[in-house]
Amino acid sequence: MRTTIFLFFTFLFPLFVKAQTVPIGEWTDHLSYNNASSVAEGNGKVYCAGQGGVFVLNKNDNSLQRLSKLNGLSDVEPVVLNFNTYNNKVLIAYKNSNIDIIEDKNIVNISDLKRKQIIGNKTINNIYFINQYAYLACGFGIVVIDMDRDEVKDTYYIGNNGAAVNVEDITSDGTYMYAATNNGIYKALLSSPNLADFTSWSVMPGLPTGTYNTIASYGGKIYTNYSNYLTTGITYRDTIYVYDNVSWNYYYPTASAYTTYMLKNKNNQLLIVREGSVSTNNFYTSSYFSDVVRAKQATIDDANAEWMADSKYGLVSWKSGVGFKSFY
């Protein structure tokens, strides 16, 4: 089921929200956008999800557009979003598994997953794109969205004998697709005639049993994080592994002292978001505004500017020679 809505943007001043008089009989929102959970960048804009909704930063003039259910979004509590460079569309996933796709000033709602009765957890953990297809890492498997047609294309149950398995993240090296799950790393040939057939998928050997919460393809290798918290319930001591097409090895010589939230290949840089820090090949930060980093997602644009979704400061940017800025 899909519904198209024409979107009316509400403009705000950068760095702060200016109070305005609301005409009698009209609505405004007083929602929190400071606690940011997800960020994506593309086409000159940065998209950031917070508790109250989504706001969009135009990098040309630093203007902000605030989006919520009052002015076009189909739901509340967005948990993850991503920008598809193939078609310049943004996919937003909500806590209740509802989905919106934004293109220019139009919003298309895809509510199939929200409405569908299934066995297992319907949470959408992450979003990965290959051309027009969005691969949603879900609590039961993988859902494929055709973003050209704005509809669900397929569903993959990749666990043993077609059972549900919690997929935390997805990546591809162009030959294989990899799924980070709570049962290890699953792998399948992209050229497989039927990826919905569970026999197309297999668990990769050489890794400890447990939950892997993030995965990325970078420089001809596959990087993934063993989540100690999601496996044992004990925080810290995550371990990042790297696969060189032969075997898995430690990316760090010993276990990391931090919880790792995200690994991402963006603009030919490996982005690592951990508890209290964000790092890439040429950038590392563990504090800003005289405070610790509280980011759980980040991205990099083609001008080497970092954009971080921070749970206290909203959207935070950093660029060499400019420093840090906060937008919320």
Side-chain angles (χ1 to χ4, degrees):
M1 177 180 179
R2 55 180 181 171
T3 306
T4 303
I5 304 172
F6 187 77
L7 178 64
F8 295 91
F9 288 120
T10 301
F11 291 91
L12 304 180
F13 290 92
L15 306 183
F16 65 94
V17 177
K18 182 178 180 180
Q20 296 180 349
T21 302
V22 181
I24 295 174
E26 293 189 11
W27 291 87
T28 188
D29 68 65
H30 295 277
L31 306 172
S32 172
Y33 294 81
N34 290 20
N35 187 358
S37 60
S38 186
V39 62
E41 181 275 334
N43 204 26
K45 297 179 180 179
V46 181
Y47 300 82
C48 189
Q51 284 182 319
V54 174
F55 65 90
V56 185
L57 171 72
N58 188 322
K59 293 191 292 183
N60 291 327
D61 58 10
N62 283 344
S63 62
L64 292 174
Q65 303 165 337
R66 183 176 59 189
L67 312 179
S68 70
K69 195 172 182 181
L70 288 178
N71 63 353
L73 296 185
S74 66
D75 227 307
V76 296
E77 292 189 275
V79 292
V80 63
L81 54 76
N82 206 355
F83 182 90
N84 190 345
T85 58
Y86 179 83
N87 50 25
N88 291 330
K89 294 183 179 182
V90 179
L91 191 147
I92 302 170
Y94 298 92
K95 186 176 181 179
N96 62 3
S97 303
N98 206 358
I99 296 167
D100 278 342
I101 294 177
I102 299 178
E103 182 181 18
D104 296 326
K105 295 183 179 180
N106 292 320
I107 292 180
V108 176
N109 175 238
I110 302 176
S111 61
D112 302 56
L113 185 57
K114 174 186 175 182
R115 294 181 294 105
K116 189 174 179 63
Q117 298 295 318
I118 64 170
I119 298 175
N121 178 10
K122 295 196 294 183
T123 300
I124 300 173
N125 298 308
N126 262 305
I127 305 163
Y128 184 77
F129 298 119
I130 300 178
N131 296 330
Q132 76 267 34
Y133 298 113
Y135 294 84
L136 309 184
C138 299
F140 62 90
I142 298 171
V143 172
V144 187
I145 303 291
D146 186 333
M147 294 184 70
D148 282 348
R149 299 172 62 90
D150 295 323
E151 64 184 21
V152 175
K153 179 180 182 292
D154 216 338
T155 302
Y156 306 160
Y157 286 87
I158 66 175
N160 293 336
N161 298 315
V165 63
N166 183 17
V167 180
E168 295 280 354
D169 200 7
I170 299 167
T171 194
S172 174
D173 59 9
T175 302
Y176 292 94
M177 180 174 288
Y178 302 85
T181 80
N182 59 355
N183 289 334
I185 305 299
Y186 282 74
K187 176 181 177 181
L189 270 171
L190 275 177
S191 59
S192 172
N194 185 13
L195 286 173
D197 183 353
F198 71 90
T199 61
S200 299
W201 297 81
S202 61
V203 178
M204 298 182 70
L207 287 169
T209 302
T211 296
Y212 293 81
N213 66 316
T214 181
I215 191 166
S217 174
Y218 172 74
K221 299 178 181 181
I222 303 298
Y223 296 79
T224 192
N225 179 66
Y226 170 85
S227 175
N228 195 48
Y229 174 74
L230 293 176
T231 299
T232 67
I234 301 173
T235 56
Y236 304 117
R237 290 296 170 189
D238 284 9
T239 307
I240 298 177
Y241 291 91
V242 57
Y243 180 69
D244 60 5
N245 295 312
V246 177
S247 61
W248 289 100
N249 297 285
Y250 285 117
Y251 180 59
Y252 294 108
T254 57
S256 168
Y258 300 96
T259 299
T260 300
Y261 296 121
M262 188 183 77
L263 299 168
K264 186 173 186 177
N265 181 350
K266 187 73 163 88
N267 286 319
N268 296 317
Q269 297 188 63
L270 180 62
L271 183 62
I272 303 174
V273 181
R274 296 187 294 173
E275 182 76 30
S277 70
V278 177
S279 61
T280 66
N281 308 53
N282 56 19
F283 169 77
Y284 174 83
T285 184
S286 60
S287 66
Y288 36 63
F289 317 125
S290 301
D291 204 349
V292 298
V293 171
R294 292 178 174 86
K296 291 189 176 180
Q297 276 201 12
T299 191
I300 314 165
D301 64 22
D302 54 11
N304 273 332
E306 308 270 347
W307 300 91
M308 293 157 275
D310 191 275
S311 61
K312 181 177 180 179
Y313 295 103
L315 175 64
V316 177
S317 70
W318 177 89
K319 187 176 181 181
S320 178
V322 177
F324 293 101
K325 291 183 179 181
S326 176
F327 305 85
Y328 57 85

